Amino acid sequence: GCDHPTIGAIVRGDYNKNSANHGKPVYKKTVQVDGLDIMLYFWDGRDGESFSGWWFGPKVGGDQVWAYHPDKVSLSPPTTGWKILYQGPIDHTLTITPRWNTRPGAAGGPPMPPPRPVLAGRPGAPGAIQRPDPAIALQKQQEALKLKAELEKKKQEEQAKAKAALNIRKVLQKMKMALPETIDKIKTELEAAVEANIEHTGSMQATISAEVEKAVEFAETRVENEKKRREDNLRKQEEMKAQLEERKKKMEEEKKKIEEDMKRAKQEAIEKRAEEIKRKREEAIKKIEEDKKKKEEEQQRQLRQRQSVTLIRRILAKMKAVTLQTFEETKGELETVLSTEMEHLGSDKETIQGEVDQTMELVNARMEKFYEQKRKIDGQREEVMKLCRELEGLVGAAESAVVKLRESAAFFDDSSELSVGDVEEISQVIEEGVVESSIRTKACNDFVAQNAKDMKDPAPQQAEASEIQEFVAELRRRISVCAHESDSTFQAAKAAKEKALRRAAANDRHNEIKAVFGKYSDTKEDMLSRKEIAKYAQNEFSFTVPDSVLDVIAETMVTEGSLGVHVQDFVFLRAALGIARERERDVRKREDRERSRATMKERLTAASAAVEKAAKSAVKVDRQILRLVGKVKTLRVPQMLKLADKTDGVIADAKSVIDATARDVDTIRKEVDADEVLTGTFAKEAAPVSHRMKEIESRLVKATGLSKRFRESANKKREGEQEKFQVAVMKIIRHNQSERALSAEQLFEAVDADGDGQISAGDFVKFLEAAEKNVKSLHDDLDDIDDPIADASVKQDDLEDAKVLKSPEVDEDDDDEEQQAEDANAEESALGDEFSAERLSKLFAAMSEGAEFMPKETFLRLIRCFYKCIKDTVVTDGLSISDSKPLRRMDVGEVIELLEGPVQDDAFKVHRVRGRMLKDGLEGWISVAGNKGTTFLQRGGHLFKVAKETTLTPELSAAAGKDSAAKLRVGEVLELQDVPEKDSGSGLMRMKVKVKSSGSVGWVTMQENPKTAFIKVV
């Protein structure tokens, strides 16, 4: 019995043992309640000691329970001390009374285990059973257990007796089937079995002993009878064997006589058959020889006929291919063969004669055509010969031009006395000859190319080349020879020209030197004095000859008694002056190099100083970047953006300094690399400066990337805060809707203060300012949005890798008071009213996508709430679990649109919601979680991921929007915009969604078949 208004009606009644669980019995109520079984069972500590004990529930181990008892020792359900639900108080009115049944018709018989628990009714209630004294009930229970133990012991003893008797009787069965050869062995086995088991048979011992004696006596009798049967069988077998031997002897005598008669008759038949065969064979041989002779004669006649036919047809085939030259000869040969072979044709004579007549008719007609063709070919050959003679004239002119060219080139054979002008004049003549030869050779080739088709033999002979072909080939050969000789002559003349030019140039140079020498020599002996040498160098080379050089020239080139340098030594004089000029240039170059080294040293010093200045700028950037580390978690978005702006400014200032310095360093490095002298001197000094500059540039690039990441983190954080703020605002709106019991339409009218059918930012802010904001678990929602995509997008980047920028110039503690003051001011300026009008207005602008007004359908879509199933559960038609009926199961992954709730079911202490299934539109009630903590539903289900590549179309009909469809890649995140609808054209369920990455809105197919889903809930 139980006074609880709901639980009592469920658990009261009679229970029978049904099965066992975890080593203890399970009881089931004899009648169902609202279609549910009522089970009483024990659960051990495998799920934790707090879940171990006795339970009332609809199924063993289920999540739904009605009563609980923590007893873990009792072998049967406790009679008292039960709790209503799992964590409820103890209900002292709920008691269990075991009911003992006896066997029908056996008065005072033993009790029937196990006991059947009966739940006592409430005292005074109609049909209730009076609750007995607990002490008496306990005494009865102990007596029942004692009786049960005695019965179990007696049962075991009976089982032992039966087992011993069975062991003996098994051997007795063998004894009854014993044979003479096995009886002794079975007797031994029986004696052993009797000795081992007879004492355990108890009251059955006399019966078993009698059975043993009877079985042994039966076996011995059976063995004696078997022996007699075997002796009779052996005697009968001997008699039958003797009879068989006598019968076999008679059959062999009869067989021998029959064989002799058959042998004699067979011999007579063989001799008669042999004589007949011999006679027939002689007749057959004679006939065969006659037939063979006739056949050979016929074969000889047919062979001669075939030979004649073959010979005539071979001549006819030859006749068909006859030419004008062989016609008469072949015709005579055919007439000879016909005269000798016609008489041997036999039956083929008429056929062959017809073939001969037909062939000759064809050949005569063809010969007539040949004669006509020959006359035509002769005319064509005359035309070809005219062209050949014309070409021969052109070839002769080309050969004449080549001969003239060779004559012109012969002038270079003796060029010792030629001047450069003479050589050039001869070359001009040769070039004109080459041009003329080329023109004439080209004229020949052009003529051949133009008339090639017309210069072919109209009917060339197959065996050898015709006269025309040989003539044309010879002309082509002569043209080729002309071209070759013209080219070879030109190449030889070209080489001879170069040789003649070198020789003529030498002559001209010699004459020129003599002229120069004579220009500065006033003596008649062709000598240059010391004064004249100095004048020569000054006028010709603008070079003032040092006295030391003049002294050396006088010592080495002026012979004793001479007035100066002789004309024959003028070349050596020029060489000596050239050496002196080179030495003077070397001195000037050395001075220039020294000046370059000094200049480069000064530039490297200035560049080093500029690099150090750039390094300080880089240190300042590093210090600013290190201020960003860890600030993503601690700073609010306005602070982060302000800090990002300042960091970008520091980087920009440093970049201008570093870029200018980098350009100077790069210019110096290029100049050093380009100048071999500077490379050897300053390569080692310029390398560290260049390396240092590259390191600074690398640090700046790293800092720029980190600053960009910090700004991106600020933007992501702003988006995440916006998402969380929107969730909080929507929770406030839904809370106020629930508190005021408003439908979605009524809620829209409440927000639309001016009643113009659309919501403005003012309407939105006004409603929220007046709304109740003390919403339970609001701050939990702010910190934990049920949106895994949003959570992933705001993953914080703490810029831990920025610590690699730490260098000896950067001190982590170098965070000056000014920066701290800026952070404090930014923190103070960022704080404010969380639900201020300004922030709410910004949220409205984001929710309406920048529009001034929000339409009704957009508002209704935004206030929708969805849940997704994370554990299979049941959809019922009412709020109360006990008073409602199940509609269907809800599978994991299914999504419902919230229509009402969550509302608590007071009977089971669980929260339930009413919703519409997106899968099939079914409406019903579902538990959010069980009263033992199992979660069935979770906030979410409005976000989907593309599981298989598909398309987004602007219309519900997939076919209508096929041309403007956009591809959706796997992994794209989609936000639900409207409940799924069925495409009447394809019969598929399609859903209106918004693509998170691009903001595009359209329709997508949910699944093609049960195994192919295009989108899946996140």
Side-chain angles (χ1 to χ4, degrees):
C2 179
D3 287 340
H4 194 279
T6 303
I7 303 300
I10 295 174
V11 301
R12 281 196 295 268
D14 292 343
Y15 291 75
N16 291 329
K17 183 177 179 182
N18 177 263
S19 59
N21 185 61
H22 295 179
K24 296 184 182 183
V26 175
Y27 300 93
K28 180 178 179 182
K29 191 175 178 179
T30 56
V31 295
Q32 290 185 331
V33 177
D34 292 335
L36 296 175
D37 293 330
I38 314 301
M39 310 297 291
L40 173 57
Y41 62 92
F42 176 77
W43 194 267
D44 61 17
R46 65 186 63 190
D47 294 333
E49 291 301 323
S50 61
F51 292 105
S52 178
W54 292 86
W55 298 86
F56 278 94
K59 66 177 181 179
V60 177
D63 294 324
Q64 186 174 350
V65 296
W66 295 300
Y68 166 69
H69 198 293
D71 185 287
K72 303 175 180 62
V73 180
S74 176
L75 296 176
S76 59
T79 57
T80 59
W82 288 84
K83 295 182 179 180
I84 297 300
L85 301 178
Y86 173 54
Q87 297 292 349
I90 295 176
D91 187 349
H92 296 287
T93 63
L94 196 158
T95 60
I96 297 176
T97 304
R99 176 177 294 171
W100 302 95
N101 293 330
T102 59
R103 292 178 182 174
M112 294 290 290
R116 184 179 66 180
V118 178
L119 197 64
R122 186 169 68 254
I129 300 174
Q130 184 64 35
R131 185 167 63 250
D133 186 2
I136 296 173
L138 180 61
Q139 183 180 358
K140 288 182 178 182
Q141 185 177 6
Q142 292 174 351
E143 290 174 356
L145 293 174
K146 183 178 179 181
L147 180 60
K148 181 181 179 181
E150 292 175 356
L151 290 173
E152 186 67 27
K153 183 177 180 182
K154 186 177 181 181
K155 183 179 178 181
Q156 292 177 356
E157 291 175 355
E158 292 294 332
Q159 289 176 348
K161 292 177 183 180
K163 184 177 181 181
L166 180 62
N167 292 336
I168 296 173
R169 284 170 175 161
K170 286 181 179 178
V171 183
L172 289 178
Q173 290 294 330
K174 293 182 181 180
M175 178 61 73
K176 291 178 181 180
M177 302 300 295
L179 298 173
E181 59 269 16
T182 62
I183 188 170
D184 294 335
K185 182 178 179 181
I186 295 175
K187 279 184 178 180
T188 303
E189 184 179 353
L190 178 60
E191 291 172 358
V194 170
E195 183 179 355
N197 296 286
I198 195 67
E199 294 180 357
H200 302 293
T201 56
S203 59
M204 299 174 66
Q205 186 171 354
T207 304
I208 296 300
S209 298
E211 290 179 3
V212 170
E213 292 176 0
K214 186 177 180 181
V216 171
E217 182 180 353
F218 173 80
E220 290 176 348
T221 302
R222 185 174 182 277
V223 168
E224 288 297 326
N225 294 334
E226 179 65 20
K227 287 181 178 179
K228 291 179 180 180
R229 187 183 65 78
R230 290 183 179 182
E231 289 175 357
D232 292 342
N233 288 340
L234 183 61
R235 179 178 53 80
K236 290 179 180 179
Q237 288 176 359
E238 292 294 334
E239 293 176 354
M240 187 178 292
K241 185 176 181 182
Q243 293 176 359
L244 289 174
E245 289 292 333
E246 183 67 23
R247 188 181 298 173
K248 183 177 179 183
K249 185 176 180 181
K250 290 182 179 180
M251 289 178 67
E252 287 179 352
E253 291 176 354
E254 291 178 357
K255 181 179 178 182
K256 185 175 181 182
K257 183 179 179 181
I258 292 171
E259 287 178 351
E260 289 177 353
D261 294 342
M262 290 179 66
K263 185 175 181 182
R264 185 169 54 255
K266 184 176 180 181
Q267 183 64 32
E268 293 175 355
I270 289 173
E271 290 175 357
K272 185 177 180 180
R273 177 67 176 164
E275 291 177 359
E276 181 69 20
I277 290 173
K278 183 178 180 182
R279 183 182 61 79
K280 289 183 177 180
R281 183 179 180 186
E282 290 175 354
E283 293 177 355
I285 291 173
K286 184 178 179 180
K287 185 177 181 181
I288 289 172
E289 289 177 351
E290 292 176 355
D291 292 341
K292 182 179 180 181
K293 184 177 180 181
K294 291 180 181 180
K295 187 175 181 180
E296 287 178 352
E297 291 176 354
E298 180 64 22
Q299 287 178 348
Q300 288 292 332
R301 187 187 65 76
Q302 291 179 358
L303 177 62
R304 185 72 178 88
Q305 181 178 342
R306 286 197 298 271
Q307 289 176 347
S308 299
V309 170
T310 301
L311 180 60
I312 294 172
R313 284 178 174 168
R314 185 183 300 118
I315 300 301
L316 288 177
K318 185 177 178 182
M319 196 69 182
K320 291 178 182 179
V322 75
T323 62
L324 288 173
Q325 293 79 9
T326 61
F327 174 67
E328 295 298 335
E329 180 183 355
T330 307
K331 183 178 179 182
E333 185 179 356
L334 176 61
E335 291 174 350
T336 302
V337 169
L338 288 174
S339 63
T340 58
E341 301 295 333
M342 205 67 175
E343 60 184 9
H344 301 295
L345 293 177
S347 61
D348 293 332
K349 184 174 181 180
E350 293 182 3
T351 303
I352 295 301
Q353 184 63 48
E355 293 180 3
V356 170
D357 294 341
Q358 184 180 4
T359 301
M360 289 307 297
E361 184 179 354
L362 293 174
V363 170
N364 290 330
R366 188 156 60 87
M367 287 299 103
E368 184 63 29
K369 291 182 180 179
F370 279 167
Y371 287 125
E372 180 65 27
Q373 188 176 4
K374 183 175 182 302
R375 290 191 294 272
K376 183 177 179 181
I377 289 173
D378 290 342
Q380 291 175 347
R381 282 181 174 173
E382 183 63 28
E383 295 296 327
V384 172
M385 288 304 297
K386 288 182 181 179
L387 293 174
C388 291
R389 286 191 288 273
E390 185 178 351
L391 176 61
E392 184 179 19
L394 295 175
V395 173
E399 289 174 341
S400 300
V402 172
V403 170
K404 183 178 179 182
L405 176 63
R406 286 201 300 269
E407 292 175 353
S408 299
F411 285 107
F412 284 134
D413 293 343
D414 184 14
S415 58
S416 58
E417 300 299 328
L418 296 176
S419 64
V420 174
D422 296 336
V423 172
E424 292 295 341
E425 185 177 351
I426 295 172
S427 296
Q428 181 66 28
V429 174
I430 292 174
E431 288 177 1
E432 292 175 356
V434 169
V435 171
E436 183 181 0
S437 174
S438 298
I439 291 173
R440 295 188 179 278
T441 303
K442 185 175 182 302
C444 295
N445 289 326
D446 292 344
F447 184 88
V448 171
Q450 184 177 358
N451 300 282
K453 294 181 180 180
D454 299 332
M455 292 176 66
K456 291 182 180 179
D457 192 344
Q461 299 178 2
Q462 300 297 327
E464 56 185 12
S466 65
E467 179 183 358
I468 293 177
Q469 289 175 327
E470 291 178 353
F471 189 27
V472 172
E474 175 62 20
L475 292 176
R476 288 178 179 271
R477 186 192 66 76
R478 288 168 63 186
I479 293 171
S480 177
V481 169
C482 287
H484 175 71
E485 288 189 359
S486 174
D487 184 63
S488 60
T489 303
F490 176 70
Q491 295 298 330
K494 187 177 180 181
K497 175 187 175 182
E498 293 177 356
K499 183 177 180 181
L501 281 174
R502 288 195 297 271
R503 184 175 297 173
N507 292 335
D508 291 347
R509 187 61 180 163
H510 179 70
N511 295 333
E512 183 180 345
I513 289 173
K514 288 182 66 175
V516 172
F517 188 87
K519 178 180 178 181
Y520 294 98
S521 175
D522 294 335
T523 60
K524 297 180 180 180
E525 289 81 2
D526 291 333
M527 296 183 181
L528 289 177
S529 63
R530 183 183 183 104
K531 183 177 180 181
E532 291 170 345
I533 292 172
K535 183 178 179 182
Y536 164 72
Q538 184 65 42
N539 291 344
E540 295 294 330
F541 308 112
S542 301
F543 174 59
T544 302
V545 184
D547 292 338
S548 59
V549 174
L550 291 174
D551 294 339
V552 171
I553 291 173
E555 292 175 1
T556 58
M557 298 183 188
V558 178
T559 58
E560 186 177 356
S562 299
L563 298 177
V565 177
H566 197 274
V567 68
Q568 297 175 351
D569 298 326
F570 188 59
V571 175
F572 301 108
L573 173 63
R574 288 167 59 89
L577 292 176
I579 292 172
R581 291 165 59 201
E582 286 297 324
R583 287 177 177 174
E584 185 179 2
R585 278 197 292 268
D586 289 343
V587 171
R588 288 199 299 270
K589 287 181 180 179
R590 193 178 301 112
E591 292 174 353
D592 292 340
R593 284 196 295 269
E594 290 300 327
R595 284 193 296 272
S596 298
R597 287 194 185 98
T599 303
M600 184 56 67
K601 187 172 183 180
E602 293 176 359
R603 292 178 64 186
L604 277 174
T605 302
S608 298
V611 169
E612 291 304 319
K613 183 179 178 182
K616 290 180 180 180
S617 299
V619 168
K620 187 176 180 182
V621 171
D622 293 347
R623 185 183 299 115
Q624 184 65 27
I625 290 296
L626 285 175
R627 291 194 180 103
L628 306 181
V629 177
K631 296 297 179 65
V632 176
K633 292 182 178 178
T634 60
L635 296 183
R636 296 175 68 87
V637 174
Q639 295 174 264
M640 292 178 65
L641 294 176
K642 186 173 181 180
L643 186 56
D645 292 339
K646 182 176 180 181
T647 303
D648 290 345
V650 173
I651 291 174
D653 294 341
K655 189 175 187 317
S656 62
V657 176
I658 292 172
D659 288 349
T661 306
R663 286 193 296 272
D664 293 342
V665 171
D666 187 59
T667 301
I668 292 173
R669 182 185 59 78
K670 289 180 179 178
E671 291 181 2
V672 170
D673 293 342
D675 193 327
E676 295 181 359
V677 177
L678 296 178
T679 300
T681 305
F682 296 104
K684 293 183 178 180
E685 297 180 15
V689 176
S690 179
H691 178 72
R692 174 75 164 155
M693 196 64 238
K694 289 181 180 179
E695 179 185 354
I696 293 171
E697 289 178 315
S698 176
R699 286 165 60 186
L700 183 64
V701 171
K702 178 73 174 178
T704 303
L706 290 168
S707 177
K708 182 179 179 181
R709 282 168 49 194
F710 182 77
R711 185 178 292 277
E712 290 174 352
S713 296
N715 292 330
K716 289 182 179 179
K717 189 172 183 179
R718 177 169 57 187
E719 293 173 0
E721 289 179 356
Q722 184 76 359
E723 290 276 352
K724 291 182 178 181
F725 182 60
Q726 181 174 340
V727 170
V729 169
M730 297 313 297
K731 187 172 184 66
I732 291 172
I733 293 175
R734 294 191 191 100
H735 172 73
N736 282 267
Q737 178 187 9
S738 177
E739 289 294 317
R740 296 162 61 178
L742 299 175
S743 66
E745 299 283 344
Q746 292 171 337
L747 177 63
F748 175 77
E749 293 174 0
V751 179
D752 183 16
D754 52 9
D756 58 354
Q758 54 187 359
I759 299 174
S760 64
D763 295 339
F764 185 74
V765 173
K766 185 177 180 181
F767 176 81
L768 287 168
E769 285 178 345
E772 172 60 43
K773 299 183 182 65
N774 186 19
V775 181
K776 183 179 179 181
S777 71
L778 171 60
H779 296 289
D780 293 340
D781 283 349
L782 284 171
D783 295 333
D784 185 15
I785 303 174
D786 292 326
D787 188 350
I789 305 304
D791 291 345
S793 66
V794 297
K795 184 177 179 181
Q796 294 175 339
D797 183 1
D798 291 334
L799 303 182
E800 288 297 328
D801 53 337
K803 293 182 178 179
V804 300
L805 295 176
K806 184 178 179 182
S807 62
E809 302 92 338
V810 181
D811 186 1
E812 288 183 352
D813 297 330
D814 190 13
D815 197 356
D816 55 331
E817 296 181 358
E818 180 182 352
Q819 181 61 38
Q820 294 179 3
E822 289 180 2
D823 292 347
N825 292 335
E827 176 69 27
E828 183 177 352
S829 63
L831 297 175
D833 184 6
E834 191 172 17
F835 295 99
S836 65
E838 181 182 358
R839 192 173 185 189
L840 290 172
S841 298
K842 290 181 180 179
L843 175 62
F844 177 83
M847 293 168 62
S848 63
E849 299 180 350
E852 185 178 356
F853 297 98
M854 182 186 297
K856 182 177 180 179
E857 55 270 19
T858 302
F859 178 78
L860 295 180
R861 175 175 56 80
L862 290 172
I863 64 171
R864 279 179 176 169
C865 182
F866 296 92
Y867 281 84
K868 59 183 176 182
C869 180
I870 61 173
K871 184 175 176 60
D872 292 349
T873 185
V874 178
V875 183
T876 65
D877 62 355
L879 167 63
S880 174
I881 296 175
S882 58
D883 297 335
S884 59
K885 295 180 180 180
L887 298 176
R888 71 169 177 84
R889 293 193 65 81
M890 184 177 185
D891 299 325
V892 173
E894 280 200 65
V895 179
I896 67 165
E897 179 185 359
L898 182 66
L899 300 177
E900 184 180 348
V903 180
Q904 179 169 306
D905 182 351
D906 295 330
F908 292 95
K909 306 297 183 184
V910 296
H911 285 85
R912 293 167 59 77
V913 296
R914 186 173 70 88
R916 181 187 297 111
M917 306 290 166
L918 292 191
K919 181 177 180 180
D920 53 13
L922 177 68
E923 293 185 8
W925 289 84
I926 308 100
S927 297
V928 178
N931 55 13
K932 291 177 65 175
T934 303
T935 302
F936 298 111
L937 300 179
Q938 188 182 67
R939 281 285 301 277
H942 64 294
L943 293 178
F944 295 80
K945 263 190 179 180
V946 178
K948 183 180 179 182
E949 187 172 291
T950 182
T951 55
L952 183 76
T953 61
E955 303 293 339
L956 170 62
S957 173
K962 187 176 181 180
D963 295 337
S964 57
K967 285 188 178 181
L968 293 177
R969 298 186 302 273
V970 175
E972 286 268 19
V973 180
L974 312 175
E975 183 179 2
L976 177 65
Q977 297 291 301
D978 204 347
V979 294
E981 295 183 31
K982 189 174 184 180
D983 179 5
S984 58
S986 62
L988 301 174
M989 293 299 292
R990 290 171 56 79
M991 185 168 63
K992 190 175 184 180
V993 297
K994 177 180 180 180
V995 184
K996 294 283 281 185
S997 60
S998 63
S1000 303
V1001 177
W1003 292 81
V1004 65
T1005 301
M1006 299 180 68
Q1007 62 181 29
E1008 190 172 24
N1009 53 59
K1011 294 184 178 180
T1012 306
F1014 292 107
I1015 60 175
K1016 291 184 178 180
V1017 67
V1018 177

